[in-house]
Amino acid sequence: EHGDLLLLDDVPERKSPCLKTMAWFRHAVHTYSGATFIAKTDDDAFVQTIKLEANIRPFTQTPRVYIGSTLWGSFVTKTFEPCARRMGPNMCAGGMKEENCVQKGAIGPYPYAVGMLQVLSYGVAAWMVQQDAFLDFEQRATAATRPPMMTQGEDMVIGMFLYLSPWPLMPLHWGWDKLHDLCFKCTRKDQIWRPITVQTVVAHHIANEQIITEVFRNITHGSHFDPRPCDDACQQKLLPFEVTSLEDLCSRAGGSIRKVYSKCALVPK
């Protein structure tokens, strides 16, 4: 009716949407060659598109962009297995030791933009889908119909391919106040689960029409957590990123991140 659904041929259904995500990026690169950005979100996410567009517009002249809110992990491509998913780099490095990720053949540690919103500049997406490793992984994941098979971590897979790029590229961490799982009654400000505020760009886990209506009401009229409505000026407001560059990340935590994240070698101390 609205022309806003894309049906991808020959993409098998799996528990993880990884194959659909990979197919989407490949399709978008070939179909929308004039695009500046290619984004992926979830079908149970409420995206404030005006706010999103206003905030990625400043990056239109940046040649290589990867935007989202980040977690850290490593990935075993042989068995399609995430390993040591954690909140930050040092936690992930410790988790990799606990879970014997290196012995399993894991790639990492690296940051990845979580699946509710992944924004890639066109050039980054085009490079990714043309890599032999991308195509090989896609073919193996398609053929694997019994364990080991691709069942989780589609956002980690995208993050892994970009981690393997030759550039000093990492996902710019926007922050969990902008991209978050939805909880109407939560009161804490230090969790991934949060209610709608004027900072919200994407709210995840919007399961039905009633919740969509309530989310929209909270945006337009305010919520118990933030009584301010998000008017036109709010929609256009630029929201700061919590990690603004690879240089910014590698300079934190007293230099300890440099010891665990190999991309830091691409920026001067």
Side-chain angles (χ1 to χ4, degrees):
E1 180 183 351
H2 301 289
D4 58 355
L5 290 178
L6 171 66
L7 300 180
L8 295 167
D9 294 330
D10 302 321
V11 180
E13 189 69 30
R14 296 286 189 269
K15 183 178 179 181
S16 166
C18 183
L19 292 173
K20 289 187 285 187
T21 297
M22 297 176 78
W24 158 247
F25 278 116
R26 187 176 59 254
H27 170 86
V29 163
H30 294 308
T31 305
Y32 306 109
S33 59
T36 304
F37 303 102
I38 297 174
K40 177 266 178 190
T41 186
D42 289 335
D43 59 5
D44 62 344
F46 187 100
V47 182
Q48 296 202 61
T49 54
I50 296 173
K51 184 177 287 190
L52 175 61
E53 189 276 337
N55 277 270
I56 64 175
R57 183 173 288 274
F59 294 96
T60 55
Q61 301 304 313
T62 304
R64 290 183 287 272
V65 175
Y66 179 23
I67 288 173
S69 281
T70 59
L71 295 175
W72 285 71
S74 67
F75 200 87
V76 184
T77 59
K78 182 178 181 180
T79 56
F80 309 107
E81 178 187 7
C83 198
R85 287 189 281 194
R86 300 292 191 275
M87 290 295 292
N90 291 327
M91 293 175 64
C92 181
M96 288 184 68
K97 294 179 181 178
E98 296 170 2
E99 299 180 26
N100 298 315
C101 299
V102 173
Q103 292 85 339
K104 295 176 182 177
I107 296 170
Y110 59 85
Y112 60 95
V114 298
M116 73 177 86
L117 183 69
Q118 301 164 312
V119 180
L120 279 60
S121 55
Y122 179 87
V124 168
W127 174 88
M128 178 180 69
V129 302
Q130 293 168 5
Q131 298 308 299
D132 290 341
F134 184 95
L135 299 174
D136 176 71
F137 185 97
E138 187 177 29
Q139 290 170 358
R140 291 195 304 107
T142 299
T145 58
R146 62 185 64 183
M149 58 188 294
M150 186 68 209
T151 60
Q152 56 179 317
E154 51 86 14
D155 43 11
M156 295 184 71
V157 170
I158 299 301
M160 176 186 66
F161 288 122
L162 299 183
Y163 169 64
L164 295 173
S165 76
W167 309 308
L169 175 69
M170 57 154 284
L172 303 182
H173 177 56
W174 208 349
W176 299 113
D177 55 335
K178 292 94 175 177
L179 315 176
H180 58 84
D181 292 334
L182 178 65
C183 176
F184 285 118
K185 297 181 179 180
C186 293
T187 58
R188 294 177 59 177
K189 297 183 179 181
D190 58 350
Q191 302 292 310
I192 295 177
W193 292 86
R194 302 189 187 194
I196 299 297
T197 73
V198 294
Q199 298 285 100
T200 299
V201 180
V202 178
H204 187 216
H205 294 306
I206 312 300
N208 55 50
E209 184 176 357
Q210 179 181 351
I211 296 177
I212 292 174
T213 301
E214 185 67 12
V215 167
F216 184 74
R217 191 194 69 79
N218 281 200
I219 290 170
T220 54
H221 293 83
S223 67
H224 77 92
F225 194 77
D226 190 341
R228 297 170 294 175
C230 196
D231 56 16
D232 290 344
C234 165
Q235 292 283 339
Q236 295 291 334
K237 183 180 179 180
L238 295 183
L239 303 173
F241 284 76
E242 293 185 8
V243 178
T244 59
S245 66
L246 180 61
E247 293 87 347
D248 175 24
L249 174 69
C250 297
S251 68
R252 299 189 181 199
S256 63
I257 295 174
R258 282 187 170 273
K259 298 177 181 178
V260 301
Y261 184 37
S262 64
K263 284 283 190 184
C264 290
L266 299 177
V267 297
K269 294 183 179 180

